[in-house]
Amino acid sequence: MKKVELSQTEWLVLKELIDGLLICEKPFLEIAKKHNLSQEEVFEAIKSLLQKRVITRLGITLRHNLAGIEGNAMVAWKVEEERAEEVGQALAQRPYISHCYLRKTYPDWPYNLYTMVHGKSREEVLSVVKEISEEFGLKEYEILFTQREIVRKHAKYALTL
């Protein structure tokens, strides 16, 4: 993937988005005021960041455990190397999968595709994993259910202009 050039305004807005929006009536106006910009300039920077695929969406962080969503598992799949990208792309589109990664295998750990599967219950996650297994012909996998959430946060990046 090719690195894109960002304007100073895009960098300023990106830093603010990473830090998180203020919970107020007009959070984008607050960003604009902080950096002596117009609200329209902030919106244009966000549109540009989206077009450049530097960001793909704006959203919230759900504390699923507090919302009663108790089925969460990392599933490690063994996928043939020639199919791994295709299967990963397909699974990444599923609404109940939040993370999808390809990783290196080891002699005693043959799994190369990892998905974080979410459901309302453990049983729902097991059902979804079974469906995926059958649909893609993936017979070897390990389900690692979350025992307890220690911390949930977004990574902070030290961005420089």
Side-chain angles (χ1 to χ4, degrees), residues 82-149:
E82 60 275 3
R83 293 184 59 216
E85 182 73 30
E86 173 193 342
V87 172
Q89 289 293 334
L91 292 180
Q93 301 308 309
R94 306 286 168 103
Y96 46 80
I97 292 179
S98 63
H99 297 74
C100 189
Y101 297 100
L102 285 172
R103 296 187 187 252
K104 184 178 171 180
T105 61
Y106 296 91
D108 59 342
W109 188 257
Y111 309 103
N112 58 341
L113 181 66
Y114 295 78
T115 56
M116 194 66 194
V117 179
H118 305 278
K120 289 184 181 175
S121 66
R122 185 180 180 99
E123 293 74 26
E124 186 176 316
V125 169
L126 289 169
S127 175
V128 164
V129 169
K130 183 178 182 210
E131 288 173 20
I132 292 169
S133 171
E134 291 171 358
E135 180 180 348
F136 292 94
L138 304 175
K139 302 300 179 204
E140 294 183 59
Y141 56 89
E142 291 289 336
I143 303 172
L144 309 169
F145 278 97
T146 300
Q147 292 183 329
R148 184 174 61 88
E149 184 177 276

Side-chain angles (χ1 to χ4, degrees), residues 72-83:
N72 300 290
M74 174 66 71
V75 184
W77 306 90
K78 181 179 178 183
V79 183
E80 299 89 358
E81 201 60 43
E82 60 275 3
R83 293 184 59 216

Side-chain angles (χ1 to χ4, degrees), residues 16 22 24 26-35 39 42:
E16 294 294 331
L22 292 175
C24 64
K26 296 185 179 184
F28 300 105
L29 183 57
E30 294 303 317
I31 292 172
K33 287 179 187 176
K34 182 175 178 180
H35 296 288
Q39 186 171 254
V42 171

